[in-house]
Amino acid sequence: MAKPKQGSGVAVSIELRLVRIGDATDLRDDDDLEPSGELVTKLTQGGLPPFRIAQAPGVYWTMVHEPARTKAQELAPMRRLRVWRPSSGIITMIDQVAPSSEPGFRADARKALLGVLPDQLWEVDLESGAGRPLDTSGLESNTMTRPAYLADGRLLFCVSSKGKMVVHACSRDGDRLTPAFSAAVEAHYLVVGGRFVVLTSEVAIKVFECQADELEMVAELSAPDGLCELRFDGKLVHYSDDGAYEILGLG
């Protein structure tokens, strides 16, 4: 059973539990979630091996390699973000970019964030497929990874600083971002439903709520060594050598 810990923010009562749902030890081996062959062909432009296909809440996505035409493109490959949403079909981002991250999808799957080399954060409209850089001039220049939307409208992303992973939350005024807070984090995290940051360590799943100026841990649950993933069907699953476990209790 989870043991909630209260910080300086509003107390949140969360009780987590694990329920075994299958033998899969990795998201890629979860056969129930495989996209159809037809969809893979559309996502990868003729069925060529994709850079990556993965599930996010309500969408499938992949990065399609563009042929390198310059030495610079060999070092920072250009890719097109291709997204499939049941309501809109295939979306291709119009602009070619050299991504530094996987996309982070808004809860309604209408927009996505993407880190772009060397130090940009782009927002992609998944209705039109157009992407544009956000104004990060007020932030320290750095490569941005693992971007996400928070429920209160703020954006979150991660950078590497002095050998540590640091997550930054930013408020936004239109396209302009302003720092709200930063915190050191473990290597793997997810933002689930725009409300919680989920971190995994060797023997625990930790859940944090994003307060105004800090991350407040609200639950901790012992678990087998493994990795948390958010599946296409919206289930938060912990994959371990012992199989797949759904994480229940986040609401």
PDB file of all heavy atoms in Angstrom, residues 99-118:
ATOM      1  N   PRO A  99      14.842  16.571 -33.682  1.00  0.00           N
ATOM      2  CA  PRO A  99      14.285  16.506 -32.332  1.00  0.00           C
ATOM      3  C   PRO A  99      15.303  16.050 -31.295  1.00  0.00           C
ATOM      4  O   PRO A  99      16.194  15.256 -31.580  1.00  0.00           O
ATOM      5  CB  PRO A  99      13.157  15.480 -32.476  1.00  0.00           C
ATOM      6  CG  PRO A  99      13.580  14.619 -33.614  1.00  0.00           C
ATOM      7  CD  PRO A  99      14.336  15.508 -34.554  1.00  0.00           C
ATOM      8  N   SER A 100      15.145  16.573 -30.083  1.00  0.00           N
ATOM      9  CA  SER A 100      15.961  16.143 -28.950  1.00  0.00           C
ATOM     10  C   SER A 100      15.133  15.352 -27.956  1.00  0.00           C
ATOM     11  O   SER A 100      15.626  14.978 -26.901  1.00  0.00           O
ATOM     12  CB  SER A 100      16.576  17.361 -28.242  1.00  0.00           C
ATOM     13  OG  SER A 100      15.557  18.228 -27.747  1.00  0.00           O
ATOM     14  N   SER A 101      13.858  15.102 -28.283  1.00  0.00           N
ATOM     15  CA  SER A 101      12.981  14.427 -27.330  1.00  0.00           C
ATOM     16  C   SER A 101      11.895  13.663 -28.051  1.00  0.00           C
ATOM     17  O   SER A 101      11.633  13.870 -29.246  1.00  0.00           O
ATOM     18  CB  SER A 101      12.317  15.439 -26.387  1.00  0.00           C
ATOM     19  OG  SER A 101      11.268  16.135 -27.056  1.00  0.00           O
ATOM     20  N   GLU A 102      11.239  12.781 -27.313  1.00  0.00           N
ATOM     21  CA  GLU A 102       9.978  12.234 -27.746  1.00  0.00           C
ATOM     22  C   GLU A 102       8.898  13.296 -27.517  1.00  0.00           C
ATOM     23  O   GLU A 102       9.076  14.192 -26.696  1.00  0.00           O
ATOM     24  CB  GLU A 102       9.654  10.974 -26.947  1.00  0.00           C
ATOM     25  CG  GLU A 102      10.677   9.866 -27.122  1.00  0.00           C
ATOM     26  CD  GLU A 102      10.369   8.657 -26.268  1.00  0.00           C
ATOM     27  OE1 GLU A 102       9.422   8.724 -25.466  1.00  0.00           O
ATOM     28  OE2 GLU A 102      11.080   7.650 -26.404  1.00  0.00           O
ATOM     29  N   PRO A 103       7.779  13.219 -28.222  1.00  0.00           N
ATOM     30  CA  PRO A 103       6.733  14.225 -28.005  1.00  0.00           C
ATOM     31  C   PRO A 103       6.021  14.020 -26.681  1.00  0.00           C
ATOM     32  O   PRO A 103       5.911  12.902 -26.173  1.00  0.00           O
ATOM     33  CB  PRO A 103       5.768  13.986 -29.182  1.00  0.00           C
ATOM     34  CG  PRO A 103       5.999  12.569 -29.575  1.00  0.00           C
ATOM     35  CD  PRO A 103       7.437  12.283 -29.311  1.00  0.00           C
ATOM     36  N   GLY A 104       5.557  15.116 -26.098  1.00  0.00           N
ATOM     37  CA  GLY A 104       4.700  15.078 -24.921  1.00  0.00           C
ATOM     38  C   GLY A 104       3.326  15.572 -25.315  1.00  0.00           C
ATOM     39  O   GLY A 104       3.183  16.700 -25.815  1.00  0.00           O
ATOM     40  N   PHE A 105       2.294  14.752 -25.127  1.00  0.00           N
ATOM     41  CA  PHE A 105       0.961  15.060 -25.638  1.00  0.00           C
ATOM     42  C   PHE A 105       0.081  15.713 -24.580  1.00  0.00           C
ATOM     43  O   PHE A 105       0.115  15.325 -23.405  1.00  0.00           O
ATOM     44  CB  PHE A 105       0.279  13.783 -26.132  1.00  0.00           C
ATOM     45  CG  PHE A 105       0.954  13.171 -27.316  1.00  0.00           C
ATOM     46  CD1 PHE A 105       1.971  12.247 -27.149  1.00  0.00           C
ATOM     47  CD2 PHE A 105       0.588  13.535 -28.604  1.00  0.00           C
ATOM     48  CE1 PHE A 105       2.605  11.684 -28.250  1.00  0.00           C
ATOM     49  CE2 PHE A 105       1.219  12.974 -29.707  1.00  0.00           C
ATOM     50  CZ  PHE A 105       2.231  12.055 -29.534  1.00  0.00           C
ATOM     51  N   ARG A 106      -0.709  16.711 -25.001  1.00  0.00           N
ATOM     52  CA  ARG A 106      -1.699  17.302 -24.117  1.00  0.00           C
ATOM     53  C   ARG A 106      -2.786  16.278 -23.838  1.00  0.00           C
ATOM     54  O   ARG A 106      -3.002  15.355 -24.633  1.00  0.00           O
ATOM     55  CB  ARG A 106      -2.288  18.564 -24.765  1.00  0.00           C
ATOM     56  CG  ARG A 106      -2.864  19.558 -23.757  1.00  0.00           C
ATOM     57  CD  ARG A 106      -3.171  20.883 -24.403  1.00  0.00           C
ATOM     58  NE  ARG A 106      -4.328  20.816 -25.308  1.00  0.00           N
ATOM     59  CZ  ARG A 106      -4.820  21.861 -25.955  1.00  0.00           C
ATOM     60  NH1 ARG A 106      -4.271  23.053 -25.801  1.00  0.00           N
ATOM     61  NH2 ARG A 106      -5.862  21.725 -26.752  1.00  0.00           N
ATOM     62  N   ALA A 107      -3.471  16.429 -22.712  1.00  0.00           N
ATOM     63  CA  ALA A 107      -4.444  15.418 -22.278  1.00  0.00           C
ATOM     64  C   ALA A 107      -5.520  15.163 -23.326  1.00  0.00           C
ATOM     65  O   ALA A 107      -5.995  14.037 -23.474  1.00  0.00           O
ATOM     66  CB  ALA A 107      -5.067  15.836 -20.951  1.00  0.00           C
ATOM     67  N   ASP A 108      -5.913  16.202 -24.090  1.00  0.00           N
ATOM     68  CA  ASP A 108      -6.951  16.013 -25.111  1.00  0.00           C
ATOM     69  C   ASP A 108      -6.377  15.553 -26.450  1.00  0.00           C
ATOM     70  O   ASP A 108      -7.106  15.414 -27.429  1.00  0.00           O
ATOM     71  CB  ASP A 108      -7.750  17.310 -25.303  1.00  0.00           C
ATOM     72  CG  ASP A 108      -6.889  18.475 -25.786  1.00  0.00           C
ATOM     73  OD1 ASP A 108      -5.695  18.275 -26.083  1.00  0.00           O
ATOM     74  OD2 ASP A 108      -7.425  19.600 -25.864  1.00  0.00           O
ATOM     75  N   ALA A 109      -5.043  15.303 -26.498  1.00  0.00           N
ATOM     76  CA  ALA A 109      -4.362  14.812 -27.698  1.00  0.00           C
ATOM     77  C   ALA A 109      -4.526  15.741 -28.894  1.00  0.00           C
ATOM     78  O   ALA A 109      -4.440  15.301 -30.040  1.00  0.00           O
ATOM     79  CB  ALA A 109      -4.825  13.401 -28.063  1.00  0.00           C
ATOM     80  N   ARG A 110      -4.734  17.026 -28.647  1.00  0.00           N
ATOM     81  CA  ARG A 110      -4.849  17.984 -29.742  1.00  0.00           C
ATOM     82  C   ARG A 110      -3.541  18.728 -30.012  1.00  0.00           C
ATOM     83  O   ARG A 110      -3.361  19.295 -31.078  1.00  0.00           O
ATOM     84  CB  ARG A 110      -5.968  18.999 -29.461  1.00  0.00           C
ATOM     85  CG  ARG A 110      -7.354  18.367 -29.438  1.00  0.00           C
ATOM     86  CD  ARG A 110      -8.436  19.397 -29.202  1.00  0.00           C
ATOM     87  NE  ARG A 110      -9.752  18.787 -29.186  1.00  0.00           N
ATOM     88  CZ  ARG A 110     -10.479  18.540 -30.274  1.00  0.00           C
ATOM     89  NH1 ARG A 110     -10.007  18.866 -31.466  1.00  0.00           N
ATOM     90  NH2 ARG A 110     -11.669  17.959 -30.173  1.00  0.00           N
ATOM     91  N   LYS A 111      -2.641  18.730 -29.036  1.00  0.00           N
ATOM     92  CA  LYS A 111      -1.345  19.390 -29.205  1.00  0.00           C
ATOM     93  C   LYS A 111      -0.253  18.527 -28.598  1.00  0.00           C
ATOM     94  O   LYS A 111      -0.513  17.671 -27.751  1.00  0.00           O
ATOM     95  CB  LYS A 111      -1.352  20.785 -28.572  1.00  0.00           C
ATOM     96  CG  LYS A 111      -2.255  21.783 -29.289  1.00  0.00           C
ATOM     97  CD  LYS A 111      -2.080  23.186 -28.753  1.00  0.00           C
ATOM     98  CE  LYS A 111      -2.942  24.177 -29.542  1.00  0.00           C
ATOM     99  NZ  LYS A 111      -2.775  25.578 -29.061  1.00  0.00           N
ATOM    100  N   ALA A 112       0.976  18.773 -29.059  1.00  0.00           N
ATOM    101  CA  ALA A 112       2.122  18.045 -28.528  1.00  0.00           C
ATOM    102  C   ALA A 112       3.314  18.983 -28.428  1.00  0.00           C
ATOM    103  O   ALA A 112       3.430  19.950 -29.186  1.00  0.00           O
ATOM    104  CB  ALA A 112       2.468  16.860 -29.419  1.00  0.00           C
ATOM    105  N   LEU A 113       4.194  18.689 -27.476  1.00  0.00           N
ATOM    106  CA  LEU A 113       5.444  19.416 -27.300  1.00  0.00           C
ATOM    107  C   LEU A 113       6.593  18.548 -27.787  1.00  0.00           C
ATOM    108  O   LEU A 113       6.562  17.319 -27.665  1.00  0.00           O
ATOM    109  CB  LEU A 113       5.669  19.771 -25.830  1.00  0.00           C
ATOM    110  CG  LEU A 113       4.649  20.704 -25.193  1.00  0.00           C
ATOM    111  CD1 LEU A 113       4.869  20.762 -23.685  1.00  0.00           C
ATOM    112  CD2 LEU A 113       4.721  22.107 -25.802  1.00  0.00           C
ATOM    113  N   LEU A 114       7.635  19.205 -28.322  1.00  0.00           N
ATOM    114  CA  LEU A 114       8.772  18.472 -28.857  1.00  0.00           C
ATOM    115  C   LEU A 114      10.046  19.286 -28.634  1.00  0.00           C
ATOM    116  O   LEU A 114      10.123  20.449 -29.036  1.00  0.00           O
ATOM    117  CB  LEU A 114       8.567  18.227 -30.358  1.00  0.00           C
ATOM    118  CG  LEU A 114       9.565  17.331 -31.065  1.00  0.00           C
ATOM    119  CD1 LEU A 114       9.430  15.894 -30.579  1.00  0.00           C
ATOM    120  CD2 LEU A 114       9.365  17.399 -32.578  1.00  0.00           C
ATOM    121  N   GLY A 115      11.027  18.697 -27.935  1.00  0.00           N
ATOM    122  CA  GLY A 115      12.327  19.332 -27.832  1.00  0.00           C
ATOM    123  C   GLY A 115      13.018  19.277 -29.176  1.00  0.00           C
ATOM    124  O   GLY A 115      12.982  18.260 -29.877  1.00  0.00           O
ATOM    125  N   VAL A 116      13.649  20.385 -29.576  1.00  0.00           N
ATOM    126  CA  VAL A 116      14.310  20.482 -30.875  1.00  0.00           C
ATOM    127  C   VAL A 116      15.737  20.991 -30.659  1.00  0.00           C
ATOM    128  O   VAL A 116      15.951  21.972 -29.932  1.00  0.00           O
ATOM    129  CB  VAL A 116      13.540  21.417 -31.828  1.00  0.00           C
ATOM    130  CG1 VAL A 116      14.326  21.638 -33.116  1.00  0.00           C
ATOM    131  CG2 VAL A 116      12.160  20.840 -32.139  1.00  0.00           C
ATOM    132  N   LEU A 117      16.703  20.303 -31.271  1.00  0.00           N
ATOM    133  CA  LEU A 117      18.102  20.709 -31.147  1.00  0.00           C
ATOM    134  C   LEU A 117      18.329  22.057 -31.799  1.00  0.00           C
ATOM    135  O   LEU A 117      17.709  22.372 -32.814  1.00  0.00           O
ATOM    136  CB  LEU A 117      18.998  19.657 -31.806  1.00  0.00           C
ATOM    137  CG  LEU A 117      19.037  18.287 -31.109  1.00  0.00           C
ATOM    138  CD1 LEU A 117      19.797  17.276 -31.976  1.00  0.00           C
ATOM    139  CD2 LEU A 117      19.665  18.380 -29.735  1.00  0.00           C
ATOM    140  N   PRO A 118      19.219  22.921 -31.217  1.00  0.00           N
ATOM    141  CA  PRO A 118      19.994  22.611 -30.017  1.00  0.00           C
ATOM    142  C   PRO A 118      19.305  22.962 -28.694  1.00  0.00           C
ATOM    143  O   PRO A 118      19.589  22.360 -27.675  1.00  0.00           O
ATOM    144  CB  PRO A 118      21.237  23.474 -30.206  1.00  0.00           C
ATOM    145  CG  PRO A 118      20.727  24.677 -30.954  1.00  0.00           C
ATOM    146  CD  PRO A 118      19.659  24.172 -31.870  1.00  0.00           C
TER     147      PRO A 118
END
